[in-house]
Structures are given as C-alpha cells and as structure tokens.
Amino acid sequence: MTEAVQNYETLKTDVAAAAKAHNEPQWLVDHRVAAIDDLVDLGFPNMQRFRYSDWTLTPTDEPLEFKDSDKALAASVPLAEDRIQFVQAGQTTVAVNLPDDLKQQGVILTDLFTALHDHAELVEKYLFREIKLGEDRLTSYHAAFLNSGLFLYVPKGVEIEKPIEAYLIQDSTRKQPMVSHVLIVAEDNAKFSYIQHMATVGDEENAASAAVEMVAKPNSEVHFSSLDELGEHTTGYLKRRANIGDNATVDWAIGLMNDGKTVGDFDSELIGQGSKADSKVIAVTSGDQREGINNRVTNHGKRSTGFILQRGVLLKKSELVFNGIGDIIHGASGANAEQENRVLMMSNGAHGDANPILLIDENDVLAGHAASVGQVDQEQMYYLMSRGIAKPTAQRMVIRGFLSAVIGAVPLPEVRQEMIDILERKLEDGQQLE
C-alpha cells in the first residue's frame, strides 16, 4: 500500500469517527467515506481559459471538526421579527425566524444538521441527489467535509410573499474551512424568493466550499438572489445547481463581490418540458484577485428556455473569466438558449475573458450569444462629464448602469442598496483613472 493510499485510509477513519461523534445518520457517514475515495482519482472541474488547480481548495489536512462560533460574529445582521430570516455564524445557528402560519403550512427552515434528525426522510431523499458523488475533486471534498448549511422546504401550492433571507457568515477568526450546503426544495406550484448573503469575519487564511442544491418541481417558481462577499484571505469554491421540472422557473441573480480568489460553477438543469431558467451574474474584481466562472444552462426538456447574462468589471491587475455554456441535449426540441457575456476592463493591467459556448445536439431550437471585452463607453462618459459630473463619479455611474440588470433583480431594497454600497467601495478602492 502506497503512502498516499495509507493517508486516505486514515482520513476515511478520522472523518467517519467525527461524523459519528456528531450523531449523523449512517447513510451520510457512508456518503462522506465514499467521497474521500473519489478524492484519490478525480480531477478539478474544467474551466476554459482559467487555471486554478494549484489553489488550496481541498485542504484535507484540516480535520472535520464541529465547533461553536461566537454569535457576535453576526452582530451586523439586521434582525427583524417581521421578516423571514436564517442566520448562521460558522457552524452556529444564531437565529431562525419563520412565522407560525408558514410552519402550519409545512414550510421548513432550519440548519442542515438539525434537519437531518427532525426531517430525516426529506433530507435523505434530496441531499446530494443533484450534486452527486463522483463528479470531480471539489464536489467530493465538499461532501466529505460538510460542516454547515441550511434546509429550506416549501410544500405543494404554498406561496410565500416575503423574501426568505439567509445570512451565512464564514468564521475566519480561526483556522477552519467553511463547507456550507444549502438544500432548497420547492414542491409543485410553490412560489417564493430566497436571498442569501455570504460574508467573512476574521483574517485567517481559509478555504470556503459553498454549495446550493435546489429542486424546483413542476409549476414551481423560485427567485434566488445571492450577495457573495467572502474575504480577501478566503479561497472560495461556489457550486450552485438546480433541477427544474415541468413548467417550473428558477431565476438566479448573483452578485460576486468577493475580495479573494474565487471559482464558481453554476448549473441550471432544465429537465422538464416548458421549464425556464434565467441566470444573471455580476462580478467585480480588484487588486491581484483571480476569478473564474462557469455558468451553464442545459436544456433537456422540450420547449425549455434558458438565458444567461454575465457582466463583470475588472480593476487593477485582476483577472476575470466568464464561460457561458448553453447546452441543448438531443430530444430537447423547441428549446431556446440565449446568452450575453460582457466585461469592462478599467485598467491596462487587468485580464478579462467572456467566452460564449453553445453545444447543440438538436435541430428544432433557437440559440444565440453575444460577448464583449472592452473599456467604459466613452460616449456615455462624455455625456455625463459635459454636464459637470467629475470623471471618477461618471465612471461609477456608467458601471452601475452596466451592472443594473442583476442589481435590479434583487427583491429587497435593503439588499440592493447593500450591493450598491459594496460595489461603490470596491470601485473607490480599486479603480485606476487615466
């Protein structure tokens, strides 16, 4: 037996022991162990024109541990009794506010490990069914070292008017990876909006593996918004995937405002007939930050519709790569796959790519793409500056307009304003003027 294999055998033993001590069901313990086996052979997800395999995204030398975090890490979260909220700092659930009328209708909002015991059958039915074992090294690490997350379940026919807010705070006051899994299930005809804010507190160098696994059943409608604000000392992997059923709709509005290195892998699987996905992503990079995003919409179902809109702004010497992937599977007749990928480079030292990729294996379809990499529109700048607006302010106004398609899709005004405030801070800190 080689030393590497021996190390993995020891790792399996240690992970299984930690999971059992955490009182996890045997099926999850087995899942963790099987995921470690996959770590031996599997490679990293392919990302065209972007190299990241030397990043510390799978720190297997950091043990699987369960420790409480200081609830004060969430002191900045605006808690309110009249809002639907979930707050988690590290592995510690700080607050869950779910109105009684929604509980009576069968809505579940709780941390993932509580759900494993209180709603065992539901969690076992859906957890790691869309993000599967054996996909790649990053998802295998995630499954093996899972240590936090939440479970949201909305029953058949339930419509929730107020947005569901989730605050997930990485505890980097100590050395420990954040391995967070959000599991969302929308039953038939369920409708709701979910807003997620991820942030980092502390300056320790840590990895973050944050996944969202969603099932949108027939005729359901889910509006997912995320403001990602992981710290500069965090190396992050973001995995988000939705299985979208007959005539169901999933809208993504993702604002990538992280300060550290980030790789993102977003998937909308249009399984059902007439299913729809609209995947909007904005990103702002600065300093020597590197960020690569795969945003894929796969049309499996007949008459399914998938849209991708990605817009990025690069400052200083940063790198940003957008890969928009529209994949129409054989048999998905009547499908529509459209995408637009655009990047603004605010510095000569920045490097940006906007790569539209269409994979079409069916004749009776509509598909199209647009891509651009360039500078701020000079006509817009001239118009603003001719009216007395200073150049730095004019640049920020143009950039905000450029990114408005995603910012405007966020349902809560407070979150929209927070996204704008973060954007302004990053631009003020990082933009280089001519």
Side-chain angles (χ1 to χ4, degrees):
M1 184 180 293
T2 67
E3 182 178 352
V5 173
Q6 285 178 325
N7 289 340
Y8 273 101
E9 290 299 320
T10 300
L11 187 61
K12 287 196 293 185
T13 300
D14 292 345
V15 165
K20 289 178 180 177
H22 194 229
N23 197 29
E24 294 177 9
Q26 187 60 45
W27 67 264
L28 182 55
V29 177
D30 294 342
H31 197 95
R32 290 184 184 273
V33 171
I36 293 173
D37 280 330
D38 288 333
L39 279 170
V40 179
D41 300 315
L42 293 177
F44 290 84
N46 179 50
M47 185 164 292
Q48 293 199 23
R49 304 186 186 182
F50 192 78
R51 289 189 67 255
Y52 66 95
S53 58
D54 58 340
W55 295 6
T56 306
L57 287 166
T58 58
T60 54
D61 56 327
E62 297 287 339
L64 174 64
E65 293 182 314
F66 296 93
K67 297 179 180 178
D68 290 335
S69 291
D70 187 348
K71 292 185 177 182
L73 296 178
S76 63
V77 174
L79 293 174
E81 292 184 359
D82 61 341
R83 289 156 72 164
I84 307 169
Q85 294 180 311
F86 176 92
V87 183
Q88 191 169 72
Q91 301 167 2
T92 300
T93 300
V94 176
V96 181
N97 185 22
L98 182 66
D100 288 339
D101 64 318
L102 293 179
K103 292 178 184 177
Q104 292 169 4
Q105 292 179 73
V107 175
I108 300 168
L109 177 63
T110 186
D111 76 87
L112 186 60
F113 291 104
T114 296
L116 278 166
H117 296 285
D118 294 352
H119 310 283
E121 291 185 4
L122 273 176
V123 177
E124 184 175 4
K125 181 178 180 180
Y126 293 110
L127 184 63
F128 296 126
R129 302 302 175 183
E130 305 309 320
I131 300 176
K132 301 178 176 66
L133 277 178
E135 289 193 21
D136 53 61
R137 183 173 178 83
L138 295 184
T139 53
S140 296
Y141 171 82
H142 180 90
F145 287 87
L146 173 66
N147 61 21
S148 59
L150 70 87
F151 177 53
L152 170 63
Y153 177 82
V154 181
K156 183 176 180 179
V158 174
E159 298 186 21
I160 303 176
E161 294 183 2
K162 292 183 178 180
I164 300 160
E165 305 171 53
Y167 296 83
L168 306 178
I169 299 169
Q170 179 189 27
D171 182 358
S172 281
T173 63
R174 62 187 181 208
K175 190 71 175 174
Q176 185 178 46
M178 173 189 186
V179 189
S180 171
H181 197 95
V182 172
L183 178 59
I184 298 173
V185 179
E187 292 283 6
D188 298 33
N189 297 291
K191 295 182 181 180
F192 58 92
S193 295
Y194 171 90
I195 301 174
Q196 176 173 292
H197 186 180
M198 285 200 308
T200 301
V201 176
D203 296 319
E204 284 284 350
E205 291 190 2
N206 276 319
S209 176
V212 174
E213 186 174 25
M214 184 190 306
V215 177
K217 293 196 176 180
N219 300 299
S220 63
E221 186 175 314
V222 181
H223 301 275
F224 179 101
S225 304
S226 181
L227 173 55
D228 302 328
E229 195 188 0
L230 297 174
E232 64 176 320
H233 301 296
T234 296
T235 302
Y237 167 61
L238 308 179
K239 177 71 174 181
R240 288 160 185 170
R241 177 177 290 164
N243 180 311
I244 307 170
D246 290 346
N247 300 305
T249 297
V250 172
D251 290 337
W252 307 90
I254 297 172
L256 295 171
M257 302 292 176
N258 302 320
D259 289 326
K261 296 184 292 187
T262 305
V263 59
D265 197 358
F266 309 145
D267 298 317
S268 300
E269 300 288 340
L270 294 164
I271 303 299
Q273 294 188 27
S275 53
K276 297 179 182 179
D278 190 349
S279 187
K280 299 186 182 76
V281 177
I282 61 172
V284 180
T285 58
S286 186
D288 59 359
Q289 186 181 0
R290 298 182 63 224
E291 193 157 284
I293 306 298
N294 277 348
N295 190 353
R296 177 191 294 269
V297 175
T298 304
N299 297 72
H300 299 267
K302 297 179 186 298
R303 301 181 302 282
S304 55
T305 301
F307 297 119
I308 295 172
L309 174 64
Q310 302 191 105
R311 295 192 174 181
V313 176
L314 292 85
L315 305 159
K316 293 189 176 181
K317 296 181 179 179
S318 63
E319 178 184 8
L320 173 63
V321 174
F322 278 146
N323 292 315
I325 307 165
D327 191 358
I328 300 179
I329 302 299
H330 183 69
S333 58
N336 187 4
E338 305 282 345
Q339 61 172 285
E340 178 183 320
N341 308 277
R342 301 195 186 279
V343 171
L344 280 183
M345 292 196 293
M346 305 296 295
S347 164
N348 292 331
H351 174 73
D353 273 314
N355 306 315
I357 301 168
L358 289 177
L359 307 171
I360 302 173
D361 191 21
E362 183 57 64
N363 294 319
D364 179 22
V365 299
L366 294 174
H369 64 79
S372 66
V373 177
Q375 304 291 327
V376 168
D377 189 310
Q378 292 305 310
E379 289 188 8
Q380 292 177 338
M381 288 291 296
Y382 175 79
Y383 177 85
L384 293 170
M385 292 174 66
S386 68
R387 281 150 180 78
I389 298 174
K391 185 176 180 180
T393 302
Q395 281 185 320
R396 293 198 294 273
M397 290 175 68
V398 171
I399 290 169
R400 279 177 56 177
F402 176 71
L403 301 178
S404 62
V406 173
I407 296 174
V410 177
L412 269 183
E414 304 97 306
V415 178
R416 286 200 300 272
Q417 187 58 52
E418 187 172 12
M419 189 177 288
I420 291 169
D421 292 343
I422 295 168
L423 171 62
E424 291 286 340
R425 172 183 59 77
K426 293 199 74 164
L427 293 176
E428 289 177 5
D429 291 345
Q431 69 188 152
Q432 290 187 349
L433 305 179
E434 296 293 338

